[in-house]
Amino acid sequence: MSEVILRPNGSIDIMVEAEVINPDILAGKTTSEIEQLIVWQGAKQLPLSEFFDVEGSAGSTAADTKIIVKGDVPRVKHIGHGMKAGEIVIEGSAGMHVGSEMIGGSILVKGNAGSWAGMEMKGGTLHITGNAGDHVGCAYRGSWRGMNGGKILIDGNARSQLGGGMSGGEIHVGGSVENFAGIRMNNGLIVVKGDAIRGVGAQMSGGLFVVSGKIRQLSPGFEYAGTEKNPKVGETVISGEFMKFAGDYAISKTPKGILYASANE
Amino acid sequence: MPGTLAIRNGYVFDPLNEIDGEIKDIFIKDGKIVEDLTGAGLRDAKIIDAHGKTVMPGGVDSHSHVAGAKVNTGRMMCPEDRYKWVTKKSDLTHSGSGNTVPSVYIQGYDYAKMGYTTVFEAAIPPMEARHTHEEMRSTPILDMGGYLVLGNNWFIMRYLKAGDIEKAAAYVAWMMRTHKAYGIKCVNPAGVENWGWGKNVSSLDEPNIHFGITSREVIHGLAEVNEMLGMPMSLHLHANNLGHPGCWEITRDSLDVARDVKVECNMDVEWQKTKIDPERTQSVYLAHAQFNSFGGTSWMDFASGAKGIVDYVNKSDHVVIDNGAVPFGPATVMTGDGPAIHNLYKLTGNKWSNKDIELECGSGILTFNYLKANPVHSVEWAIGLELLLLVNDPWKTILTTDHPNGGPFTKYPQLITWIMSKKAREATLAECHKWAQDRSSLGGIDREMTLYEIAILTRANPARTVGIAHRKGHLGGGANGDVTIYDFDPTKFDVNDYTKVIRGFQNAAYTIKDGGIVAQNGEIISVPHGRTFFSEAHMDDGIEKEMLKDVKEWFKYYTLGFANYPVPDKYLRNPAPVVVNKPLEAIVGR
Ligand SMILES: [Zn+2]
């Protein structure tokens, strides 16, 4: 696999929109062609080399291309937006919209990610080793068509509206989430190892949501459906004792959403 | 010389002059069509070689929702309709965004790219007229105008109930001048007033709350007022029970209400001589017929009700319809028919907005997505096409999507492929839910429209129907220099090459407005400011004075002051008043 190394070469003032950092776009390009790719900064269009020193060259196909961003880029948005194949590794934190609308391939963020990570994702893997912002794997504002495929792994915490409008795929959060995780989800799987504040699965009509920690305030439209030990979630068994709820009855008369909440917390 | 052009050797389709694909030169001088250009005129003219291309008058859309409060609410409540559809600015053009409800700039550019030069906003709530004019004046390129929503207006209902048709006419004339509006729109007559009380009307003869007036009385009264004044266009009617299974019957009966109303245009304009009479012949123009042609009695036995409407239209001479087709995909439904939208909200649970416009009307907005796999949607698609294909006389039909209700206007090229090619219909039918085949007659229709008929449905007839054919919709001497050149050679035209047909109608080779090229092969070339047409209608002064006393008295029910009600002149950049019922000729108590 050919590697392209992007080294941030200074501090960034207005955020940069860099959806060109994508193996599909870099594939087949030389170092200098990559340097000349255009990114937006506010109302200006500038070459990628304005913000990154480029080393190495891309493979002939996306699948054969690995992009390594050496360092923190919290003010660079849309990295890997819509990518279909290949690999991106960010050795630091990423800005907003990392991996949004991604279709395939993998992104590894060795740090934190801004809001909208994996927004409306359709496939591939997005792994964030730190914390993530709001709207991870969520639908865009105004829409209820969230992530429908692929996998998002967050080792740390995520904020609000994780997996909003989700209709497929999986999200695993090692830490805790805040408000309205899984709002309007109708399919797919969300597992939160830590706690949630409130609104978990609000308006959900399908799908599976597991909270291993504590839910501070359960949504009122869920009905208790018994207690289960070590429930099986897809292929994996989640260890512990869980209260099972069905919902959200606040919206639908026949919701198919299932929410497991730890029986011990 | 700007505005002076010679379009050489194109195949010309000009239905009002009965020109069907003849090779002909079209000349424009100082922005207007002339019979000939000679000497100096020709020397200064820009020459366009239209050899092997199709030449038509500039497109006219007589029913679209592109300006005003509900359109903008549609934009605001749908960020998801914008973020994937963005256009950046160029040296000439403004940036913009939006798919089903684009921003005003994009609307202007996209219409111009498709060869349209004139677009009418089909519903202005009087209280929102200022907002509507703000958007119309900001829309680049297009000549525009709008229809004032009057079917549930308190003053109209009161006058018509009392049988005071002259005061009703005086009120309409004053309202047209006050709000700089072009024609009369009537939405769910008598029903929207009931919606203020959470109710509706479901028949033509049901008196509404408080006013005690029926839909039949409102339709007949407004049609009468329309002809008493001699308005450019006839009443634009959105019939009752819209969107309910079986609504085709009340639609047919509503059309029949205007049968006895004698058509009389009384506009102070210079009529050009065209082969076909450019004056309208209809006393009622049915809006978005598709939504009013539902058959069956419930969603279980839902079917096309197009046949009932088509049979009626085929035997009647006082009706024109626009189809309001459903080309599938995302849409934003927006109408003055608040209860109809509430009904859709209950069916879908989609995002919904509703507004009461005080003494005047109402409105509702809902996001929507028409799917081929959905049985009802697939039948709606079929109804929209049946209505155009089964009405024999193309001079009774107009092609629309009721933008953005059935879908965005940018789907017109797709619609054209379905009415020009049976094969295109069959290909889509095969992808649809089987109800489209089983519960409509579309599969059995062989008709394939010609380029000449397309020219009728997209320019000549909309222009005639809304009374603007004295300057638009044809290529005779004296008409505005609005010409569209499509990159189709009619002698080699293959209706079954849909990609090419769509591409050609989406991006005209040239769109020419007032003799200047505005768009070329999908690119905007110049951005002139369009006109705003409105009816400067008059009625007897004495009656107007009496009427104004009533208006001022009831103005206490408005949340705004009387002085702030009219649209000031400065809201229009290029006002184009059409004098209607010129004062000297106003006859009292005709
Ligand atoms: Zn409409």
Side-chain angles (χ1 to χ4, degrees), chain A residues 99-135:
Chain A
S100 63
E101 296 181 49
M102 83 185 267
I103 294 163
S106 72
I107 300 178
L108 171 62
V109 181
K110 293 180 175 172
N112 302 327
S115 294
W116 304 105
M119 180 197 87
E120 297 178 11
M121 178 168 173
K122 294 180 175 63
T125 310
L126 170 61
H127 184 179
I128 298 157
T129 64
N131 301 321
D134 297 308
H135 299 279

Side-chain angles (χ1 to χ4, degrees), chain A residues 135-259:
Chain A
H135 299 279
V136 174
C138 186
Y140 185 66
R141 290 201 195 285
S143 164
W144 287 123
R145 295 156 193 269
M147 159 174 189
N148 67 9
K151 203 172 192 177
I152 299 178
L153 307 165
I154 301 166
D155 298 348
N157 305 320
R159 289 204 302 259
S160 296
Q161 305 235 156
L162 174 104
M166 181 171 183
S167 62
E170 297 178 21
I171 304 179
H172 297 264
V173 182
S176 297
V177 297
E178 296 184 5
N179 309 305
F180 296 102
I183 184 171
R184 279 263 181 151
M185 75 185 279
N186 59 66
N187 208 340
L189 168 68
I190 300 178
V191 179
V192 175
K193 289 283 182 210
D195 306 329
I197 298 176
R198 64 175 183 132
V200 174
Q203 302 185 0
M204 78 190 280
S205 58
L208 194 54
F209 203 125
V210 181
V211 182
S212 301
K214 188 166 74 180
I215 300 174
R216 199 189 294 171
Q217 206 180 318
L218 187 71
S219 297
F222 283 82
E223 280 182 10
Y224 178 63
T227 300
E228 286 182 23
K229 253 186 195 161
N230 306 331
K232 205 174 166 206
V233 170
E235 298 300 298
T236 45
V237 173
I238 310 256
S239 54
E241 197 176 353
F242 287 87
M243 290 188 288
K244 185 179 181 182
F245 295 90
D248 183 349
Y249 284 92
I251 292 294
S252 164
K253 288 191 183 75
T254 54
K256 294 186 179 65
I258 300 291
L259 169 60

Side-chain angles (χ1 to χ4, degrees), chain B residues 63-65 122-123 185 236 238 287-288 334-335 402-403 405:
Chain B
H63 184 176
S64 186
H65 299 280
K185 181 62 172 269
H236 195 214
H238 163 138
H288 45 60
M334 49 176 67
T335 156
D402 185 13
H403 165 88
N405 285 283

